[in-house]
Amino acid sequence: MYPRQLSGGMAQRVLIAMSTLLDPKLIIADEPTSAIDASLKNMVLNLLMAINQKHNTSIIVITHDFDVVSKMCHRAYVMHRGRIMEEGKVSKLLHQPESSYTEGLVKCFASLSDPNPEFYTMPEKEVYDACPISS
């Protein structure tokens, strides 16, 4: 197939496969599951984790999806507007966030797994107070 004939998810899987061909020491995965459906998400994450273990490859995951972070990462940096708001072990960030911004993101993530969700949205003031724009 030509690249233009591939769906987003197919192209994503091709790129993941290509990224492993030369046994790299580092893979930068920018939104590795964003263009694939939920049924393939875990397969892709499991593939990346298997590559990590088999080839001792480091993987930097760039994502807004806390589900991906919780499954793939040991440490994380929470960023907003180009600034690091908080960093640390994922288990600590998810269960004891220090930053109000991280706490808001965790609440948003948790509301997605609730069977009767009242979806949490971050108040705009909280977001902007957490990370003021520097002049």
Side-chain angles (χ1 to χ4, degrees):
M1 296 176 84
Y2 291 101
R4 69 178 185 280
Q5 295 173 305
L6 299 174
S7 70
M10 291 168 77
Q12 207 157 13
R13 285 176 277 175
V14 167
L15 287 172
I16 290 169
M18 288 173 57
S19 73
T20 65
L21 289 175
L22 299 175
D23 194 21
K25 295 297 174 202
L26 174 66
I27 294 174
I28 299 174
D30 188 355
E31 296 292 354
T33 60
S34 64
I36 57 176
D37 60 51
S39 64
L40 294 176
K41 179 179 178 177
N42 283 334
M43 285 177 48
V44 169
L45 296 179
N46 289 337
L47 172 65
L48 287 170
M49 289 186 289
I51 291 166
N52 168 258
Q53 290 185 1
K54 183 177 179 183
H55 300 285
N56 200 27
T57 301
S58 296
I59 302 174
I60 296 174
V61 180
I62 302 165
T63 186
H64 67 280
D65 187 339
F66 266 82
D67 187 42
V68 171
V69 171
S70 68
K71 289 177 181 172
M72 293 245 354
C73 303
H74 304 287
R75 295 188 65 77
Y77 290 81
V78 176
M79 296 183 71
H80 178 62
R81 298 180 137 188
R83 287 190 172 167
I84 296 173
M85 303 304 294
E86 187 170 355
E87 65 89 24
K89 291 184 178 183
V90 169
S91 59
K92 184 177 182 304
L93 291 177
L94 291 175
H95 300 291
Q96 298 171 322
E98 292 178 10
S99 156
S100 62
Y101 181 71
T102 303
E103 183 178 0
L105 291 176
V106 170
K107 286 180 183 177
C108 292
F109 170 64
S111 73
L112 295 175
S113 61
D114 189 339
N116 300 311
E118 284 188 35
F119 292 113
Y120 177 82
T121 56
M122 292 178 63
E124 188 173 322
K125 181 175 178 3
E126 182 177 321
V127 171
Y128 291 109
D129 286 348
C131 187
I133 299 173
S134 58
S135 46

